[in-house]
Amino acid sequence: MAHFFAVLLCCVAQTKDSTELLAESGRDYPETRLFTACQAKLTAADTQYLVVGGFTDTGQGDVSDVLVYSVDSKGAALQWRTMWKGDIRSSIRTLRAADLDGDGRDEIIVLGRMGDEDVSGEGELKVLGVRNGALGVLDAVHWQSGKYTHGYGMAIGDVDGDGKPEITSGGFFSDGKHEHAEVRVWRFRAGKIELVARTDWGELGETRINAVDVGDIDGDGRLEIFTAGRTGQVKNEKGETTDEQGELTAWRLDGDKLNRFATHEWVKNGPSRFRELKACDVNGDGKLEVFAAGRFGNDQHPYMGLFQVKPEGFQLASEPRWEKGRLGEIRDVQFHGRGNSFRVVTIGADGVKPNRQGQMRTWKLAGPRHDMVEDWRSAHTDENRVRQLVLWHDKEVIELITAGFVREGNQIIGQIVRWGKMP
């Protein structure tokens, strides 16, 4: 395990730039940003839909935006769209789909904030569903833990052991001096969202959660909660970030209490932060590992590490050697398969603003190391930012689809892109 990523064979991976634009959103508005996406079964039929979320600036402020597409070999067709009504600014940061009520249809769960971002924002969680042929809100909750509150990062799974899925949301809030990370567990029962438990922390100051996942670390049939983000951020007189550390935490739900059993602060050559986290059993041996990804350094270099979760905490098992001088960050990590067919897919930015371009890489397990299989670029606009990857399952084929946004001149446009099939 210690050398999972010991070798990065750049000469083996083939660089590709042949991506297919499936859909755009926002050319009729000043700005649309798509942050999050998933695949969902929303009706009694077996049809699968691509659900994306973010915000659209209507000219009077940012408004949360959910779009649902059908996807086939010809492209993506918009089926439903809902934008929050009213004059309150809002944004969706994380979107998931799951059958919360056991009726055989997925609900769409969206997490974000409403109100002014760094002034008086409130956390917002909504459950949406398709009923009688229309997409609508089934229930919604808002909360304000401090001066401003953001929902950010979410996972769905049975964390209380009752056989039904719960919603675990992450995020952060400000107490007026520092930001604190926050985890909340919710149930959706009888059409209503109910809070089960919450906790917050910020021992090092300026602490945020960017990603949440769940997995059974001890084999007892109940899922533990994992979060990734950053802590300790300080700005010096030059405006540079100092003292920032990536942070991983692990939690168990006991009744109405969340108990933390592992924490890991991570620094690599300067300020460091985690953007994404995924729990998985890499070797098929029943032991859970965690992929954590993001960036490090004031000049921003991409990062991905594989961590084991031990009783005494997280331990770094391996990390890849990136090309010297590579700039950018990783925004999402997905995986598929077992053994020799195990694949890891990473997406993110190649380069730094204002010239970022989309990048996707696939990796395979080859004995004691991961080798890069393919290396894609999406660079057909002034700036391209891919934010979430969907492994689109279509019969026996898995296609790689991303949601994100591009800048063309002074306009920002939401885009859904198909990159090809899983190698």
Side-chain angles (χ1 to χ4, degrees):
M1 178 70 74
H3 301 289
F4 250 146
F5 289 109
V7 177
L8 179 64
L9 301 181
C10 302
C11 59
V12 173
Q14 180 182 4
T15 301
K16 301 167 61 175
D17 59 4
S18 55
T19 56
E20 176 190 355
L21 179 62
L22 284 180
E24 285 189 331
S25 177
R27 287 197 176 273
D28 48 347
Y29 291 105
E31 180 176 348
T32 293
R33 299 189 185 223
L34 302 178
F35 295 122
T36 179
C38 69
Q39 185 171 355
K41 177 182 177 296
L42 301 175
T43 67
D46 290 331
T47 304
Q48 296 290 321
Y49 295 95
L50 180 66
V51 187
V52 299
F55 74 79
T56 290
D57 181 355
T58 62
Q60 297 178 329
D62 303 340
V63 177
S64 293
D65 199 355
V66 177
L67 304 99
V68 180
Y69 295 89
S70 59
V71 178
D72 59 25
S73 60
K74 298 178 181 179
L78 183 63
Q79 302 297 310
W80 295 283
R81 184 180 190 180
T82 182
M83 299 169 66
W84 292 184
K85 297 179 180 179
D87 57 0
I88 298 177
R89 301 182 67 179
S90 61
S91 176
I92 294 168
R93 282 291 180 170
T94 312
L95 176 152
R96 299 288 184 262
D99 184 1
L100 298 177
D101 55 14
D103 67 352
R105 298 173 294 178
D106 287 337
E107 283 71 48
I108 302 168
I109 307 99
V110 299
L111 175 71
R113 55 96 183 152
M114 60 179 294
D116 292 333
E117 184 172 3
D118 295 326
V119 178
S120 59
E122 300 179 13
E124 180 175 56
L125 179 70
K126 288 188 175 183
V127 176
L128 290 74
V130 174
R131 302 292 186 267
N132 299 318
L135 176 66
V137 176
L138 305 180
D139 197 27
V141 292
H142 308 93
W143 67 97
Q144 194 166 36
S145 303
K147 180 182 177 182
Y148 58 81
T149 304
H150 290 222
Y152 210 136
M154 176 172 53
I156 312 297
D158 182 10
V159 295
D160 65 1
D162 68 349
K164 299 178 182 179
E166 283 74 46
I167 304 164
T168 301
S169 66
F172 55 92
F173 66 89
S174 171
D175 64 3
K177 295 182 179 180
H178 299 289
E179 290 179 339
H180 297 252
E182 182 176 38
V183 172
R184 290 174 174 250
V185 177
W186 314 82
R187 293 191 183 105
F188 183 69
R189 303 289 187 267
K192 294 294 182 181
I193 303 171
E194 303 171 355
L195 180 63
V196 177
R198 69 163 298 276
T199 190
D200 63 81
W201 72 100
E203 295 91 340
L204 301 181
E206 303 301 339
T207 303
R208 290 188 175 192
I209 290 177
N210 292 325
V212 178
D213 203 4
V214 295
D216 184 2
I217 195 68
D218 51 14
D220 67 350
R222 292 181 57 179
L223 302 180
E224 281 71 47
I225 298 166
F226 306 98
T227 70
R230 50 100 165 155
T231 189
Q233 185 188 75
V234 176
K235 297 284 188 180
N236 63 20
E237 62 276 4
K238 297 180 180 179
E240 297 172 327
T241 299
T242 62
D243 300 325
E244 180 180 272
Q245 304 175 49
E247 184 176 66
L248 301 175
T249 62
W251 306 81
R252 289 187 177 94
L253 178 67
D254 295 315
D256 61 352
K257 302 293 184 183
L258 282 163
N259 295 316
R260 178 166 44 171
F261 67 90
T263 300
H264 179 73
E265 271 83 38
W266 163 81
V267 178
K268 184 178 177 68
N269 300 330
S272 308
R273 68 176 61 177
F274 289 122
R275 290 290 196 182
E276 187 55 84
L277 168 146
K278 288 290 189 307
C280 64
D281 179 2
V282 172
N283 294 323
D285 59 1
K287 297 180 180 179
L288 205 65
E289 290 86 31
V290 170
F291 282 108
R295 74 184 196 210
F296 67 89
N298 269 311
D299 49 354
Q300 298 183 18
H301 301 275
Y303 180 81
M304 177 174 62
L306 182 65
F307 293 81
Q308 297 172 324
V309 189
K310 301 287 188 177
E312 62 272 20
F314 293 90
Q315 292 182 3
L316 177 63
S318 53
E319 58 186 2
R321 291 197 312 241
W322 296 83
E323 306 95 317
K324 186 177 181 180
R326 170 67 65 187
L327 300 180
E329 67 176 344
I330 296 179
R331 279 286 183 168
D332 196 9
V333 177
Q334 300 283 356
F335 57 89
H336 179 75
R338 295 280 188 184
N340 291 333
S341 66
F342 184 78
R343 295 290 185 271
V344 182
V345 188
T346 61
I347 65 167
D350 180 31
V352 295
K353 62 180 181 182
N355 299 308
R356 289 167 289 194
Q357 299 299 333
Q359 181 182 59
M360 177 183 295
R361 283 178 166 173
T362 59
W363 316 72
K364 69 177 181 178
L365 183 63
R369 65 179 188 251
H370 261 71
D371 292 340
M372 193 162 49
V373 179
E374 290 189 304
D375 184 5
W376 285 271
R377 298 290 191 281
S378 182
H380 57 276
T381 56
D382 297 341
E383 187 177 34
N384 187 318
R385 299 175 67 181
V386 291
R387 301 302 292 267
Q388 183 133 56
L389 169 67
V390 177
L391 303 185
W392 180 262
H393 292 257
D394 184 10
K395 298 179 182 179
E396 300 300 321
V397 175
I398 298 177
E399 293 187 317
L400 305 171
I401 295 176
T402 59
F405 48 93
V406 300
R407 177 174 58 84
E408 292 185 357
N410 294 323
Q411 190 175 24
I412 295 178
I413 303 161
Q415 285 194 344
I416 302 169
V417 174
R418 178 156 49 195
W419 296 68
K421 296 178 182 179
M422 176 76 78

